[in-house]
Amino acid sequence: MGIESSCDETAAAVVRSDGTVLANVVASQIALHANYGGVVPELASREHLRNIVPVVRAAMAEAARMQPGLAFAGLDAIAVTEGPGLAGALLVGITYAKALALGLNKPLIAVNHLEGHIHAVLMERGVEMQIPLLALVVSGGHTHLYLAEENEGAWRYRNVGRTVDDAAGEAFDKVAKLLGLGYPGGPWMDALAAHGDPRAVEFHFGQIKPRAPRPGTVNKKAPGLPADGPTFDFSFSGIKTAVLRYIQTHGMAACVEARRSALAEALRANPAMKASDALALLPDRFDRQTLGLIASFQYAVVGNLMRQTFAAAQAFGARGILVSGGVSANSELRRRFTQEAARRGLPVAFPTLAMSTDNAAMIAAAAWPKFCAGEFAKEGLVATPQLRLGQGYPMYDLTEPLTEQI
Ligand code: KG4
Ligand code: ZN
């Protein structure tokens, strides 16, 4: 059983060792946080507290329907997200999982949320991807590139790129908010971008400078690259500011406010309203300039994610690419990554849409190799909000082999 509570989703899942998902229950808090335009940590913790017991029970009941006779006593282990995430939110899942494991006398396994996102893809494909793999984990809280290798069932990771400021999903959400769209902004931008001209506005991404290299460092893992760069890092706060400036300098503020209040009213009448419904209901509120800005923003962000990912894949000799996390649900991202991967003859894989965003099946899947290796959590397991996955950068320091085990 996997349990996940790192951000604004309370989730529990039951997954078999062959990757079959018997139950995958997710209680989303989106409606609660929508009022604030972002996740409010204290509210998230309280909501997790309210949801955790019914969500775990619902997952067990669903699993028993799928596999008659299965009950808590039939579980192999309890896996829980240790971090990264919101401290109070993580604590709810961890405390509950500890108590459950203790009560059932089952082993407890601590899982890194980011490793969960990677395993969301691996579990579904059910086929061996060739290693090393390059995984782009791109969500509301993260934009990371990991080089992943498997050795006798144990996975090891090297963090070869990350955002130096905002995550890509955060940029989608913030720009959507600037434009007076719904929450979370990513799915709104995705749906509306299809109606705009991606060449309407040109956005640029600067090259991110590496930190000063250690003298004499040789870039053994990526021999084609000089030891002092380039990096495969990301930066998304600049494009957000560029959108804000565009709105201001093109006299769009009044049109944004008119859309914001029209949408607020429509969302009160129908809280489940999606971007496509809004476009049909309020066509005058989505002018060509706004749609062009949305399409251009998305085109630029997806292009930047692609450039860094494929450059890193080439530099590190990756034999396949995985893209996971909430933003991997983006339709343009899927289309363009698939095209570019085909052009390069490189396999690329994404999770199904349900597995793209936070869930607990991915936590259970990432826990299985640890279960087999007997890697269990210590009694003193605590929430680790800044938990990292794998050995880190600096990028140019690639002389050590991939040895760290998570
Ligand atoms: O993985 P996730 O559920 O939670 C985090 O760990 O952050 O990702 C949520 C993020 C949000 O920023 C949301 O706007 C973004 O994923 N997202 C999308 C799309 N669907 C969700 N961004 C762009 N296009 C989408 N279709
Ligand atoms: Zn996530």
Side-chain angles (χ1 to χ4, degrees), residues 77-393:
I78 312 295
V80 67
T81 305
E82 178 185 7
L86 302 168
L90 288 163
L91 199 60
V92 176
I94 292 175
T95 311
Y96 187 82
K98 272 185 175 177
L100 193 61
L102 192 70
L104 295 170
N105 197 23
K106 303 283 179 192
L108 179 68
I109 301 168
V111 174
N112 184 308
H113 181 83
L114 298 162
E115 190 177 16
H117 275 301
I118 294 171
H119 282 265
V121 189
L122 295 169
M123 73 181 288
E124 283 188 310
R125 282 177 60 90
V127 289
E128 300 277 307
M129 269 268 220
Q130 300 232 45
I131 55 162
L133 282 172
L134 186 72
L136 169 66
V137 182
V138 59
S139 70
H142 312 281
T143 306
H144 284 97
L145 279 170
Y146 294 103
L147 196 65
E149 285 187 337
E150 189 220 349
N151 187 8
E152 291 177 0
W155 284 86
R156 289 167 174 77
Y157 307 90
R158 183 183 279 276
N159 182 202
V160 298
R162 49 82 169 105
T163 179
V164 297
D165 41 53
D166 291 352
E170 194 179 351
F172 268 100
D173 295 342
K174 285 179 175 170
V175 166
K177 200 169 170 180
L178 285 176
L179 290 169
L181 305 176
Y183 171 87
W188 281 75
M189 300 284 287
D190 188 355
L192 295 172
H195 300 272
D197 175 7
R199 283 155 308 183
V201 188
E202 215 175 299
F203 291 111
H204 297 281
F205 285 90
Q207 176 67 248
I208 297 155
K209 295 245 179 329
R211 285 180 250 166
R214 278 210 310 257
T217 304
V218 181
N219 203 337
K220 280 190 191 154
K221 282 269 169 185
L225 296 176
D228 57 353
T231 73
F232 302 104
D233 287 344
F234 303 91
S235 166
F236 294 107
S237 78
I239 191 167
K240 173 196 66 190
T241 312
V243 170
L244 176 62
R245 209 168 308 122
Y246 187 92
I247 293 170
Q248 289 166 343
T249 55
H250 288 73
M252 294 171 74
C255 123
V256 167
E257 284 320 310
R259 177 167 49 251
R260 198 188 302 285
S261 48
L263 278 179
E265 200 184 314
L267 278 163
R268 263 194 299 277
N270 173 16
M273 185 176 70
K274 293 195 168 57
S276 50
D277 308 323
L279 196 57
L281 188 71
L282 304 161
D284 299 345
R285 295 282 164 236
F286 298 93
D287 54 287
R288 234 178 66 182
Q289 194 178 25
T290 301
L291 293 171
L293 183 56
I294 292 170
S296 303
F297 167 84
Q298 180 170 287
Y299 182 80
V301 170
V302 170
N304 183 255
L305 289 170
M306 267 178 53
R307 266 188 300 282
Q308 298 296 78
T309 304
F310 283 98
Q314 191 174 344
F316 296 105
R319 298 171 77 183
I321 292 178
L322 302 185
V323 191
S324 192
V327 180
S328 76
N330 187 272
S331 50
E332 180 177 340
L333 181 147
R334 289 191 177 216
R335 182 167 39 78
R336 289 175 62 196
F337 266 77
T338 304
Q339 270 169 6
E340 182 61 18
R343 201 178 69 74
R344 292 173 183 242
L346 207 59
V348 63
F350 310 91
T352 56
L353 291 184
M355 284 285 179
S356 301
T357 48
D358 290 351
N359 66 84
M362 68 186 200
I363 303 302
W368 182 246
K370 298 180 201 299
F371 177 80
C372 296
E375 266 181 64
F376 302 122
K378 304 213 166 51
E379 245 177 64
L381 176 69
V382 289
T384 312
Q386 307 292 341
L387 188 64
R388 289 194 170 192
L389 180 61
Q391 277 178 302
Y393 29 87

